[in-house]
């Protein structure tokens, strides 16, 4: 999706403004939003790629001025509605119109630490041959899917070099659409700054991207 | 963390977004979808258990133990797990090494992917539109704003971490630290040096 979330290379956002001694959360609502998102995600109704894509679908005029956790909140409300955990009336009124769908139990507090510690496995144990090896010259596809993709706009139709094969990973474009994991090799690909940004860019610098097999063609 | 006591709204001392989140939490609790104690535990974990001190331990070990450094290069996730770190948003780690003529810096232009188990949750600037948009196209001016001036002979490598692989920058060990212990070295390592927006 060619949304405003895909902001690599855009101009006009001004200087980066680091804050000294920044707290983990600036406000209580940020902490609660973060935790709500994790706890609702643990219900298993959506995967990480569906969750990320919810944030991407926030309308651009809302997305751009919103803070990070305001985006998380808007994305969470979208996910809760779309996956049938809340009705629009409930969300608007704040009043429950009935209990949760059968079979859903809230994530228990004593499972938090083990779950955080364990994480999830995005690498897939499958026997799929790699289309590219380290050192291969590749060109990224010029694709503009309407759904989720992890191939940023600035890196489409560009020539790069494979520097590493990370192994076989869940393909987010398919996973975000609820279309299964479609596992495939994930490669670290190096692009020169000049390939991406033209002759005025540094002759020495480069950008590395992790790209799935389906994003790449032999150059 | 503070409560939001600066509302324009008469009758409430909470901001609109604080009220919206409070209402959502109470609705989800009423529906039996979340437990407040689970939220408390999550917040506590990310406020007190995870943070850049974890990443600093990895860096200090890599500086002092060549065999460990080699294991980090071969399989960073496994080497990091040796020190007891790993898990959510740090399942698949890669460590990129700074050197005299190589400077690495990490971003996620599409959202704000970041190695939570090693660095905690990302700072606001890392998640900002400005950082996400600029560091891939103009890393040197962003680094300059952070006080990192690099010569033309230094290669800047920007890692746009948009997959489930997470990156940790291994900063160069500062000169004059030969006699320091691993604990003392870990104290020198800053969060920004492991993102790549600072040198030590």
């Amino acid at each position: 999706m060619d949304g405003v979330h895909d902001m690599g290379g855009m101009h006009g956002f001004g200087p980066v403004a680091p804050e000294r001694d920044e707290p983990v959360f600036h406000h209580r609502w940020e902490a609660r939003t973060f935790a709500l998102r994790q706890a609702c995600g643990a219900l298993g109704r959506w995967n990480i790629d569906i969750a990320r894509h919810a944030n991407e679908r926030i309308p651009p005029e809302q997305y751009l001025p919103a803070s990070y956790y305001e985006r998380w909140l808007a994305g969470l409300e979208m996910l809760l509605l779309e996956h049938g955990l809340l009705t629009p009336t409930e969300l608007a009124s704040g009043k429950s119109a009935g209990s949760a769908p059968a079979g859903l139990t809230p994530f228990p507090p004593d499972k938090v630490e083990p779950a955080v510690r364990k994480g999830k496995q995005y690498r897939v144990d499958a026997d799929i041959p790699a289309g590219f090896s380290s050192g291969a010259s590749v060109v990224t596809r010029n694709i503009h899917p309407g759904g989720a993709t992890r191939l940023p706009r600035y890196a489409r139709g560009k020539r790069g070099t494979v520097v590493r094969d990370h192994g076989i990973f869940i393909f987010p474009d398919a996973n975000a659409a609820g279309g299964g994991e479609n596992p495939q090799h994930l490669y670290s690909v190096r692009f020169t700054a000049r390939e991406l940004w033209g002759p005025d860019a540094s002759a020495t610098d480069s950008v590395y991207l992790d790209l799935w097999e389906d994003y790449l063609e032999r150059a | 963390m503070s409560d939001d006591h600066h509302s324009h709204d008469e009758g409430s001392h909470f901001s609109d977004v604080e009220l919206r989140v409070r209402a959502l939490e109470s609705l989800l609790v009423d529906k039996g979808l979340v437990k407040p104690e689970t939220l408390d535990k999550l917040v506590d974990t990310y406020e007190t258990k995870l943070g850049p001190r974890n990443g600093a331990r990895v860096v200090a070990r890599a500086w002092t133990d060549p065999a460990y450094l080699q294991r980090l290069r071969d399989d960073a996730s496994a080497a990091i797990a040796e020190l007891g770190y790993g898990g959510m948003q740090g399942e698949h780690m890669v460590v990129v090494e700074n050197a005299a003529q190589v400077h690495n810096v990490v971003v996620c232009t599409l959202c704000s992917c970041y190695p939570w188990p090693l660095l905690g949750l990302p700072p606001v600037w890392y998640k900002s539109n400005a950082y996400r948009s600029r560091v891939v196209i103009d890393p040197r001016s962003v680094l300059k704003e952070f006080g990192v001036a690099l010569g033309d002979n230094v290669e800047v490598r920007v890692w746009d971490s948009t997959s489930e692989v997470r990156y940790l920058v291994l900063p160069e060990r500062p000169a004059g630290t030969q006699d320091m212990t691993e604990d003392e070295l870990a104290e020198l390592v800053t969060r920004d040096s492991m993102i790549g927006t600072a040198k030590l």
Side-chain angles (χ1 to χ4, degrees), chain A residues 5 7 9 22 27 32 52 63 71 77 90 98 107 116-117 120-121 150 154 204-206 208 210, chain B residues 4 20 25 31 38 40 84 87-88 91-92 124 129 132-133 140 155-156 158 160 162 164 167:
Chain A
H5 70 283
M7 46 179 65
E22 183 176 335
H27 305 286
R32 298 314 269 186
R52 283 204 186 100
Y63 184 99
R71 291 171 189 165
E77 290 175 345
E90 287 177 316
F107 198 69
V116 166
R117 202 151 256 293
K120 297 232 166 71
Q121 211 30 250
R150 305 304 282 177
Y154 74 83
T204 46
D205 300 347
S206 49
Y208 290 72
D210 292 328
Chain B
D4 295 23
R20 187 167 144 214
E25 178 178 336
K31 287 191 72 82
T38 301
D40 296 342
M88 191 128 38
E91 294 92 344
H92 308 287
V124 167
N129 300 342
R132 287 166 55 193
S133 62
R140 286 171 185 266
E155 177 190 346
V156 178
V158 182
D160 189 359
T162 59
E164 296 302 341
Y167 290 85

Side-chain angles (χ1 to χ4, degrees), chain B residues 23-107:
Chain B
L24 182 62
E25 178 178 336
S26 117
L27 175 59
L28 291 169
V29 170
D30 285 351
K31 287 191 72 82
L33 288 168
V34 300
K35 287 176 181 281
E37 301 78 21
T38 301
L39 306 180
D40 296 342
K41 186 83 190 162
L42 277 159
V43 171
D44 180 63
T45 301
Y46 282 92
E47 280 196 322
T48 65
K49 306 280 194 312
L50 303 176
R53 292 302 94 213
N54 295 356
R57 308 279 344 165
V58 173
V59 170
R61 178 65 57 88
W63 283 345
T64 51
D65 181 345
Y68 184 74
L69 174 60
Q70 193 54 50
R71 293 200 295 282
L72 262 185
R73 289 171 176 153
D74 295 342
D75 182 348
S77 308
I80 289 164
E82 288 177 35
L83 301 191
Y85 310 128
M88 191 128 38
Q89 289 300 306
E91 294 92 344
H92 308 287
M93 290 298 308
V94 169
V95 171
V96 290
E97 297 172 49
N98 284 353
Q101 303 209 320
V102 176
H103 186 86
N104 294 283
V105 60
V106 181
V107 63

Side-chain angles (χ1 to χ4, degrees), chain A residues 90-110:
Chain A
E90 287 177 316
L91 188 60
S93 67
K95 291 202 172 60
S96 169
S99 53
L104 277 185
T105 50
F107 198 69
D110 61 318

Side-chain angles (χ1 to χ4, degrees), chain B residues 9-30:
Chain B
D9 215 14
E10 261 184 58
S12 164
H13 59 286
F14 295 118
S15 69
D16 292 347
V17 67
E18 178 80 41
L19 289 173
R20 187 167 144 214
V21 174
R22 281 174 186 260
L24 182 62
E25 178 178 336
S26 117
L27 175 59
L28 291 169
V29 170
D30 285 351

Side-chain angles (χ1 to χ4, degrees), chain A residues 141-193:
Chain A
R141 293 209 160 107
N142 180 19
I143 50 169
H144 295 264
T149 184
R150 305 304 282 177
L151 174 58
R153 235 176 309 187
Y154 74 83
R156 296 178 190 162
K158 304 292 184 185
R159 285 168 182 266
T161 307
V162 172
V163 295
R164 179 199 283 254
D165 182 348
H166 290 300
I168 297 163
F169 278 74
I170 295 169
F171 186 46
D173 305 35
N175 204 37
E181 298 186 343
N182 187 8
Q184 46 189 276
H185 282 263
L186 176 69
Y187 305 94
S188 175
V189 181
R190 175 181 184 268
F191 299 88
T192 66

